[in-house]
Amino acid sequence: MNKVTLLWSGGWDGTFRFLELMQHEDIEIQPIYVIDPGRESTPYEKKAMKKIIFEASKRFPAKVRDIQFYERDWILQNCKNEKISNAFRYLRKNYSIGTQYEWFALLCDKLNIKMESAVVHQYHGKVEDAIHAEGKLELIENDFLPERYCVKKAGEKNTAFLVFGDLILPVIKLSKEDEEKIARQNGWLDIMKYTWFCHTPIHGKPFGLCSPCDDAMNTGMEWRMPRCAQFRYKNRKFFRLIRAIKRKIGIR
């Protein structure tokens, strides 16, 4: 049985990949969730993963191990690697990649493993921009699964390789709309609807101002946003100002 370690937080792209893997009888999936204490969505994401695993396990043959949880602060304190962190800071400064990619790279290095990360082709493509400018994206040869990509060095450039080299990228050639189409064709879309994406929910619903909400509004996924969240997104400058004022005076 082949083991696949999957970075997953209950979101759309990671869940799509999880359900793809669930189709394989000879696959054992090890989900890994990195807890960001600054994110208000953690309980919603954990609930989504639990529900998705329950529903998928009733239909599909792959084995799923218990989710392994790692705290962001534990990673930063116990998995230090200055080469990786320096490379991350360079990519962060030049391509605005997410902070989570430093945590993922450090954790992979500490555990000495490769992890799948569900990075997709999308409208702002920060990770793609960094990879193509600072490294090379190549298909993994002689792999036991099809269409999985990895990041290699590009000549003397190694920053992208240091940060992304231990990540396997199986859906980087797909868009969110592609994933929706494939999920519908294969009968998974009902499970995909259990996914969670908003980092700053209000009353258990997406708020409309965080980066994943921005992604949803610009990648054909706006149907996942409540009307009130869509309204806040369209008037986000005003609502971000109001939220900043509330936080300054101690009101959520």
Side-chain angles (χ1 to χ4, degrees):
M1 184 170 287
N2 293 300
K3 179 182 174 183
V4 177
T5 302
L6 175 68
L7 287 159
W8 186 32
S9 62
W12 180 269
D13 305 315
T15 298
F16 174 83
R17 182 55 181 170
F18 173 77
L19 293 173
E20 274 196 323
L21 293 170
M22 286 294 293
Q23 312 303 304
H24 298 271
E25 293 184 7
D26 60 344
I27 291 289
E28 182 179 59
I29 306 168
Q30 175 60 74
I32 286 186
Y33 177 84
V34 176
I35 299 170
D36 178 358
R39 219 156 74 187
E40 300 167 28
S41 56
T42 297
Y44 299 96
E45 293 170 352
K46 288 182 176 179
K47 182 178 179 181
M49 288 189 289
K50 183 177 180 180
K51 178 66 173 177
I52 291 162
I53 290 172
F54 176 76
E55 293 296 333
S57 295
K58 291 192 295 185
R59 299 191 202 176
F60 308 126
K63 180 181 178 182
V64 184
R65 289 189 175 187
D66 292 339
I67 301 169
Q68 290 181 356
F69 296 95
Y70 290 90
E71 293 272 358
R72 177 203 66 187
D73 293 344
W74 181 89
I75 294 172
L76 293 176
Q77 291 167 13
N78 296 280
C79 307
K80 293 179 181 179
N81 183 313
E82 279 307 307
K83 287 185 178 180
I84 289 174
S85 293
N86 287 337
F88 165 77
R89 285 189 283 269
Y90 171 84
L91 296 180
R92 173 82 169 162
K93 178 182 178 181
N94 289 279
Y95 304 96
S96 301
I97 65 170
T99 54
Q100 70 270 26
Y101 291 105
E102 180 181 20
W103 318 336
F104 296 164
L106 292 173
L107 185 59
C108 286
D109 181 66
K110 178 70 172 182
L111 301 180
N112 193 29
I113 59 173
K114 304 283 187 181
M115 299 189 197
E116 283 200 0
S117 180
V119 176
V120 296
H121 174 68
Q122 57 191 60
Y123 81 104
H124 48 60
K126 296 171 184 176
V127 170
E128 287 179 278
D129 289 345
I131 291 171
H132 292 307
E134 306 289 341
K136 294 189 298 183
L137 189 66
E138 294 186 358
L139 196 64
I140 298 174
E141 296 181 359
N142 303 314
D143 198 5
F144 63 90
L145 287 169
E147 296 297 313
R148 299 203 302 172
Y149 293 84
C150 62
V151 177
K152 299 289 188 180
K153 295 179 183 179
E156 296 299 316
K157 295 182 178 181
N158 70 343
T159 50
F161 175 73
L162 284 168
V163 175
F164 303 117
D166 285 330
L167 297 183
I168 296 171
L169 307 172
V171 294
I172 197 166
K173 298 293 186 179
L174 299 177
S175 67
K176 292 181 186 293
E177 290 174 303
D178 291 331
E179 291 174 332
E180 181 184 4
K181 181 180 178 181
I182 293 168
R184 180 179 288 108
Q185 289 173 343
N186 289 279
W188 315 334
L189 194 57
D190 60 322
I191 300 180
M192 293 285 288
K193 290 178 179 179
Y194 294 124
T195 57
W196 185 265
F197 61 95
C198 179
H199 287 175
T200 56
I202 183 169
H203 307 309
K205 295 182 179 180
F207 191 67
L209 302 185
C210 68
S211 178
C213 286
D214 180 57
D215 285 348
M217 290 296 294
N218 289 279
T219 56
M221 296 284 108
E222 64 274 5
W223 58 267
R224 304 181 70 205
M225 301 274 283
R227 288 186 179 179
C228 56
Q230 293 188 35
F231 177 78
R232 282 190 287 267
Y233 175 79
K234 291 172 183 176
N235 299 276
R236 54 194 176 279
K237 289 184 179 179
F238 171 76
F239 282 102
R240 281 174 177 159
L241 176 62
I242 295 298
R243 187 173 64 177
I245 293 171
K246 285 183 175 181
R247 287 179 172 175
K248 189 172 184 179
I249 62 177
I251 300 175
R252 266 196 73 184

